[in-house]
């Protein structure tokens, strides 16, 4: 088995590298690539990459991503670059005879108007939130293309849908990054500068968080054993959903922050809930143990503190 | 006015009047295009839309120019000549639009100011079922290449063509323009349907990021001369015309598949062409617009069959093969949006439209696509 992992230097890719290093398997070779190795928006470059490595399996994490502002400003680039990346990877997977390709979607691509909890069958039931429609449609089309490759050629291409991922190697930028790394970065600065730590919003919004290390283990499992073409949500259960306030308190504890905490309620809370149903995952892996949240946050915080020189921020 | 099929008299395009080249964005390899270039293109394009350049010579590139709708547009253009306009009709013979470089060469050669984008990989039910992937990939590439080249060359307006078959399978009726993305399309042609839907998404993205004025139209069932009359691959109206022709020629019964009760709105290609020309000129929204006769003009397949028999003067036996599927019972589309813009638009009466179509088919039987 030769596994090609695209986007391997990112948040999830690094976690997969860790999982693979901890669990070496005879007869398996893992190739981790990033933009340095090939521009996946380019068909010829992608073809050359696949010709060079001739993978039997692919974990496709590469994407053009961004925070709210980038998404709103560059919908064409987010749509086109991701459509091209995804088509190049899937098409070359087909041409190379890849036995299994697992791509990565996101809960942010679900319909904006929906009931909760959301599940895998609801992905295409309405338009996504307008703020990131370029990215969302491009990601949704991975699922369409998986189905089309399966129908026409019998390919086994599938996808996973994580909820909010966090961990070492994340993007901690306050503008572009997500909520967890944002809180960590803010507390780091507040602690260092002796200033208050300000949480945007009331803290009431609720989210399910999945540690990148747990997600990596599940993605590797999906690559080995999940045989459906339809996507699978990879998330902690609904009852593990926590509020931004509870999250902030966990990060404060992990970073031993003793200063003032403010909630800037003039800032938007964003979506109040995005609850995803992990029943399908539970059906397959009833005994999977997620890393305890406090432990996961502590590891992430420690990584950020110790890697200021390489952390993206 | 010059009407031009690309590849013939190419040289005559040059020097055919004042050109807006001073404002034209020089052609660049998109891979080398920087953020600064993008900003410059956006500013230039937006300026070009609003200033006197709008009144300078229009050069309209029609992709899919030899198809059912393309030929109808050609007819409308010939009936309404203008010195201020140059029309270029291209087909797959002139460029493979699934290839970016070929599309770029085409745009560079013709330097269009406007585009009517009709080119697509299309097919009937069976072809769609078998090749969903090819329908998805080819159409995504064609559309992406045309829209990106339109953007890069500063095209002022681009009107693309969607279809009512891409709407959600489970829906309320009548369908309207706001409902395109409200659920999955019918499974049988999901590759084609999603690729077409992405035109609308891409139009909105280009408008949001670059201020481009790209839009789309959604016709209901189109029919007319130059259609695909193939019984496997074609649509219902040309299918009926072809069958009646054969039944008449061979003195056999004319067999209609199904009960004849499903209902459809038909739009004559000539009317659609006139409306597309209007959209190119005067419809300023990015959101699509349904181009159709009203709900009250919806007719059953049985009524359509009877109209075709009348047009072809067929007096033989008619059989309804009720073992065959009826397909979707109704696909009623609302043309309320069109009516608010064009309350006085007169559609060609269906009897006349069918007569012209049947006469064309009879006269061109040997060369018609079938």
């Amino acid at each position: 088995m030769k596994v090609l992992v695209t986007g391997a230097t990112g948040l999830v890719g690094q976690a997969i590298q860790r999982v693979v290093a901890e669990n070496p398997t005879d007869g398996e070779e893992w190739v981790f690539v990033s933009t340095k190795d090939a521009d996946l928006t380019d068909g010829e470059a992608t073809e050359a990459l696949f010709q060079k490595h001739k993978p039997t399996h692919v974990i496709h994490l590469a994407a053009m991503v961004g925070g709210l502002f980038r998404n709103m400003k560059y919908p064409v680039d987010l749509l086109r670059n991701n459509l091209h990346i995804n088509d190049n990877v899937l098409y070359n997977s087909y041409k190379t005879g890849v036995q299994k390709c697992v791509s990565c979607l996101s809960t942010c691509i679900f319909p904006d108007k929906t009931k909760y909890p959301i599940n895998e069958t609801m992905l295409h039931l309405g338009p996504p939130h307008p703020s990131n429609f370029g990215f969302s449609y491009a990601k949704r089309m991975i699922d369409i293309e998986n189905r089309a490759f399966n129908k026409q050629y019998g390919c086994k291409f599938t996808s996973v849908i994580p909820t909010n991922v966090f961990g070492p190697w994340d993007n901690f930028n306050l503008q572009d990054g997500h909520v967890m790394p944002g809180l960590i970065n803010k507390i780091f600065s507040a602690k260092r500068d002796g200033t208050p730590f300000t949480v945007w919003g009331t803290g009431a919004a609720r989210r399910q968080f999945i540690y990148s290390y747990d997600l990596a283990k599940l993605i590797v499992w999906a690559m080995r054993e999940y045989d459906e073409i339809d996507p699978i949500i990879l998330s902690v259960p609904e009852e593990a959903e926590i509020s931004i306030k509870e999250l902030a308190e966990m990060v404060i504890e992990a970073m031993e922050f003793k200063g003032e905490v403010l909630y800037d309620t003039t800032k938007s809370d964003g979506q109040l809930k995005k609850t995803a149903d992990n029943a399908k995952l539970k059906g397959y892996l009833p005994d999977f143990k997620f890393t305890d949240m406090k432990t996961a946050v502590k590891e992430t915080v420690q990584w950020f503190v110790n890697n200021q020189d390489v952390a993206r921020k | 006015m010059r009407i031009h099929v690309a590849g013939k008299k190419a040289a005559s395009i040059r020097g055919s009047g004042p050109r807006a080249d001073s404002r034209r964005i020089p052609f660049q390899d998109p891979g080398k295009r920087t953020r600064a270039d993008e900003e410059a293109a956006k500013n230039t394009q937006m300026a070009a839309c609003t200033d006197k350049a709008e009144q300078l010579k229009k050069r309209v590139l029609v992709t899919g120019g030899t198809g059912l709708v393309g030929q109808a547009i050609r007819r409308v253009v010939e009936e309404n000549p203008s010195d201020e306009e140059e029309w270029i009709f291209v087909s797959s013979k002139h460029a493979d639009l699934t290839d970016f470089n070929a599309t770029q060469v085409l745009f560079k050669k013709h330097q269009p100011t406007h585009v009517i984008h009709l080119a697509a990989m299309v097919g009937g039910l069976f072809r769609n079922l078998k090749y969903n992937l090819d329908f998805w990939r080819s159409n995504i590439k064609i559309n992406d290449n045309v829209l990106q080249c339109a953007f890069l060359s500063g095209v002022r307006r681009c009107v693309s063509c969607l279809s009512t078959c891409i709407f959600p399978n489970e829906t309320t009726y009548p369908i309207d323009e706001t409902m395109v993305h409200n659920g999955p399309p019918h499974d049988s042609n999901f590759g084609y349907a999603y690729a077409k839907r992405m035109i609308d998404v891409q139009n909105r993205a280009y408008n949001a990021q670059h201020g481009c004025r790209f839009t789309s139209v959604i016709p209901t069932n189109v029919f007319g001369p130059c259609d695909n009359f193939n019984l496997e691959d074609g649509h219902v109206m040309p299918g009926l015309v072809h069958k009646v022709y054969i039944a008449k020629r061979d003195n056999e019964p004319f067999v209609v598949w199904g009960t004849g009760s499903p209902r459809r709105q038909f739009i004559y290609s000539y009317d659609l062409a006139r409306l597309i020309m209007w959209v190119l000129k005067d419809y300023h929204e990015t959101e699509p617009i349904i181009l159709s006769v009203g709900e009250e003009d919806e007719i059953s397949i049985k009524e359509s069959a009877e109209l075709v028999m009348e047009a072809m003067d067929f007096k033989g036996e008619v059989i309804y093969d009720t073992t065959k599927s009826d397909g979707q019972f109704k696909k009623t589309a609302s043309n309320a949006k069109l009516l608010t813009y064009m309350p006085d638009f007169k559609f060609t009466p269906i009897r006349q439209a069918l007569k012209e179509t049947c006469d064309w088919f009879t006269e061109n039987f040997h060369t018609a696509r079938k």
Side-chain angles (χ1 to χ4, degrees):
Chain A
M1 185 190 271
K2 189 167 184 185
V3 188
L4 179 72
V5 182
T6 72
T9 52
L11 166 66
V12 183
Q14 293 281 6
I16 291 185
Q17 292 196 49
R18 176 185 167 189
V19 166
V20 166
E22 288 176 358
N23 303 278
T25 311
D26 279 342
E28 270 183 20
E29 192 186 333
W30 288 74
V31 178
F32 296 95
V33 298
S34 75
T35 44
K36 278 200 283 294
D37 303 286
D39 174 5
L40 298 175
T41 64
D42 180 332
E44 283 174 13
T46 312
E47 188 180 356
L49 183 78
F50 273 71
Q51 284 305 307
K52 178 177 175 181
H53 296 293
K54 296 196 178 12
T56 59
H57 294 67
V58 174
I59 293 177
H60 172 43
L61 307 172
M64 179 179 173
V65 300
L68 179 68
F69 298 113
R70 202 160 166 227
N71 267 283
M72 286 174 71
K73 203 168 173 201
Y74 302 112
V76 171
D77 299 344
L78 281 153
L79 176 70
R80 295 187 75 241
N81 288 333
N82 285 314
L83 279 175
H84 293 167
I85 290 169
N86 299 334
D87 184 62
N88 288 336
V89 170
L90 292 176
Y91 181 69
N92 281 287
S93 293
Y94 152 67
K95 291 287 279 188
T96 317
V98 159
Q99 294 164 35
K100 186 75 164 288
C101 177
V102 180
S103 297
C104 203
L105 272 46
S106 166
T107 43
C108 74
I109 71 178
F110 272 81
D112 183 36
K113 297 191 183 1
T114 182
K115 8 191 244 316
Y116 296 97
I118 51 185
N119 67 49
E120 294 87 348
T121 66
M122 295 157 71
L123 183 57
H124 303 284
L125 292 186
H129 194 271
S131 64
N132 66 337
F133 74 94
F135 175 85
S136 295
Y137 275 113
K139 281 288 186 182
R140 288 182 179 201
M141 292 305 114
I142 290 178
D143 179 51
I144 298 308
E145 205 157 345
N146 285 346
R147 286 198 262 141
F149 269 107
N150 179 254
K151 208 150 176 239
Q152 191 165 327
Y153 294 120
C155 300
K156 282 169 68 182
F157 299 167
T158 187
S159 60
V160 299
I161 315 180
T163 46
N164 282 51
V165 195
F166 70 96
W169 300 100
D170 202 345
N171 179 3
F172 292 82
N173 180 286
L174 293 176
Q175 291 289 324
D176 274 348
H178 295 101
V179 64
M180 172 84 82
L183 293 174
I184 293 174
N185 193 354
K186 278 190 186 181
I187 292 178
F188 182 86
S189 301
K191 209 174 158 189
R192 179 193 61 198
D193 304 340
T195 48
F197 160 46
T198 306
V199 183
W200 285 350
T202 64
R206 302 179 68 75
R207 298 287 184 268
Q208 287 148 297
F209 291 93
I210 180 168
Y211 188 31
S212 58
Y213 180 56
D214 296 333
L215 177 61
K217 286 193 267 179
L218 290 170
I219 289 177
V220 174
W221 162 80
M223 185 204 68
R224 292 206 169 104
E225 305 203 39
Y226 176 68
D227 285 329
E228 293 183 45
I229 307 298
D230 287 335
I232 179 168
I233 287 172
L234 301 179
S235 170
V236 296
E238 294 171 51
E239 53 275 16
E241 197 177 53
I242 59 175
S243 69
I244 299 306
K245 184 166 192 286
E246 287 169 294
L247 181 69
E249 284 163 3
M250 264 187 227
V251 180
I252 287 169
E253 187 188 318
M255 296 188 82
E256 289 177 16
F257 178 72
K258 306 270 192 269
E260 192 185 1
V261 184
L262 300 170
Y263 283 84
D264 181 356
T265 54
T266 66
K267 293 278 194 293
S268 162
D269 269 335
Q271 216 168 328
L272 190 64
K273 273 164 75 77
K274 288 191 199 185
T275 322
D277 184 354
N278 80 342
K280 190 175 193 180
L281 173 63
K282 278 222 294 255
Y284 277 97
L285 294 179
D287 300 324
F288 183 82
K289 292 278 175 288
F290 288 94
T291 305
D292 167 67
M293 192 65 179
K294 284 190 154 75
T295 307
V297 172
K298 194 99 186 97
E299 285 180 14
T300 306
V301 160
Q302 275 171 356
W303 183 89
F304 183 69
V305 168
N306 296 332
N307 289 278
Q308 283 291 296
D309 48 337
V310 302
R312 288 178 286 156
K313 55 191 189 313
Chain B
M1 180 191 65
R2 188 158 276 118
I3 304 171
H4 168 82
V5 176
K8 299 178 188 166
K9 301 192 233 169
S12 64
I13 291 178
R14 309 285 170 234
S16 49
R19 290 160 67 105
D21 278 344
S22 57
R23 296 291 189 137
R24 188 154 306 289
I25 291 92
F27 227 92
Q28 287 175 309
D29 175 352
K32 298 189 172 68
R33 200 173 160 86
T34 65
R35 182 69 59 208
D37 293 328
E38 308 270 17
E39 286 297 325
K42 179 181 177 177
N43 294 336
T44 307
Q45 181 172 49
M46 289 174 82
C49 290
T50 53
D51 72 8
K52 278 183 292 189
E54 194 66 25
Q55 289 145 33
L56 293 176
K57 190 152 191 166
K58 226 160 101 174
R59 232 175 352 268
V60 188
L61 180 72
V62 182
T63 72
T66 53
L68 166 65
V69 183
Q71 294 280 12
I73 290 180
R74 186 198 292 268
R75 175 185 164 189
V76 172
V77 162
E78 283 171 359
E79 289 175 359
N80 301 276
S82 161
D83 284 337
E84 298 308 310
E85 291 176 0
E86 192 175 323
W87 286 77
I88 306 141
F89 293 84
V90 298
S91 75
S92 49
K93 275 200 289 290
H94 307 110
D96 174 6
L97 298 176
T98 64
D99 179 85
F100 180 79
N101 291 330
T103 311
Q104 215 180 11
V105 165
L106 184 77
F107 272 72
K108 199 169 182 183
K109 178 176 180 180
H110 297 296
Q111 302 274 314
T113 58
H114 296 66
V115 174
I116 295 177
H117 171 44
L118 307 172
M121 177 179 170
V122 300
L125 178 68
F126 297 113
R127 210 163 151 227
N128 264 284
L129 277 171
K130 206 171 167 196
Y131 300 111
N132 262 298
L133 178 73
D134 295 346
F135 277 94
W136 158 256
R137 296 189 77 240
S138 296
N139 284 313
I140 280 282
K141 283 182 195 307
I142 289 169
N143 300 333
D144 184 56
N145 290 337
V146 169
L147 292 177
Q148 177 68 356
C149 287
F151 158 65
L152 289 175
S153 43
V155 159
R156 296 170 209 156
R157 299 275 290 135
C158 178
V159 180
S160 297
C161 201
L162 273 46
S163 166
T164 44
C165 75
I166 73 176
F167 273 81
N169 185 40
E170 285 170 27
T171 183
T172 54
Y173 294 97
I175 53 184
D176 67 47
E177 294 85 350
T178 66
M179 293 157 72
V180 176
H181 304 280
N182 283 358
H186 194 272
D187 207 47
S188 60
N189 67 336
F190 74 89
Y192 173 87
Y194 276 113
K196 281 288 186 182
R197 289 182 179 200
M198 285 305 109
I199 291 178
D200 178 51
V201 175
Q202 209 152 346
N203 285 346
R204 287 192 270 137
Y206 275 107
N207 182 253
Q209 186 169 337
H210 298 296
C212 299
R213 289 169 57 212
F214 300 166
T215 188
S216 60
V217 298
I218 316 181
T220 45
N221 283 51
V222 194
F223 71 96
C226 309
D227 202 344
N228 178 4
F229 291 81
N230 180 287
L231 294 175
E232 291 284 316
D233 272 349
H235 294 103
V236 65
M237 191 69 91
L240 294 172
V241 170
H242 189 175
K243 280 189 185 182
V244 170
Y245 178 94
I246 292 180
K248 203 176 162 189
R249 179 193 68 190
D250 300 346
N251 204 20
E252 285 179 356
F254 161 40
V255 180
V256 182
W257 286 350
T259 63
S261 46
R263 302 178 70 73
R264 297 287 184 269
Q265 288 148 296
F266 291 97
I267 181 168
Y268 187 30
S269 58
Y270 178 62
D271 296 336
L272 178 60
R274 288 190 291 144
L275 287 170
I276 288 177
M277 308 275 280
W278 161 74
V279 166
L280 185 71
K281 190 155 166 285
D282 283 325
Y283 175 71
H284 298 299
E285 296 182 42
T286 301
E287 306 296 326
I289 181 167
I290 288 172
L291 301 179
S292 172
V293 298
E295 298 170 50
E296 61 280 7
D297 289 318
E298 197 177 51
I299 57 176
S300 68
I301 300 304
K302 184 165 191 284
E303 286 168 296
S304 311
E306 285 164 359
L307 285 166
V308 172
M309 289 191 281
E310 185 188 315
M312 298 193 81
D313 207 26
F314 175 75
K315 307 265 191 277
E317 190 187 358
V318 185
I319 300 175
Y320 285 84
D321 181 356
T322 55
T323 67
K324 293 277 193 292
S325 161
D326 266 339
Q328 212 167 332
F329 182 66
K330 270 164 79 73
K331 290 191 197 186
T332 322
S334 165
N335 75 344
K337 190 178 195 180
L338 173 63
L339 281 184
T340 58
Y341 278 98
M342 303 270 274
D344 300 323
F345 183 82
K346 294 278 173 288
F347 288 94
T348 306
I350 191 154
R351 280 189 163 79
Q352 178 188 336
L354 271 173
K355 189 93 184 77
E356 289 175 14
T357 305
C358 293
D359 287 349
W360 181 90
F361 184 69
T362 304
E363 281 155 30
N364 294 277
F365 181 76
H366 294 291
T367 49
R369 287 181 288 157
K370 60 187 189 298

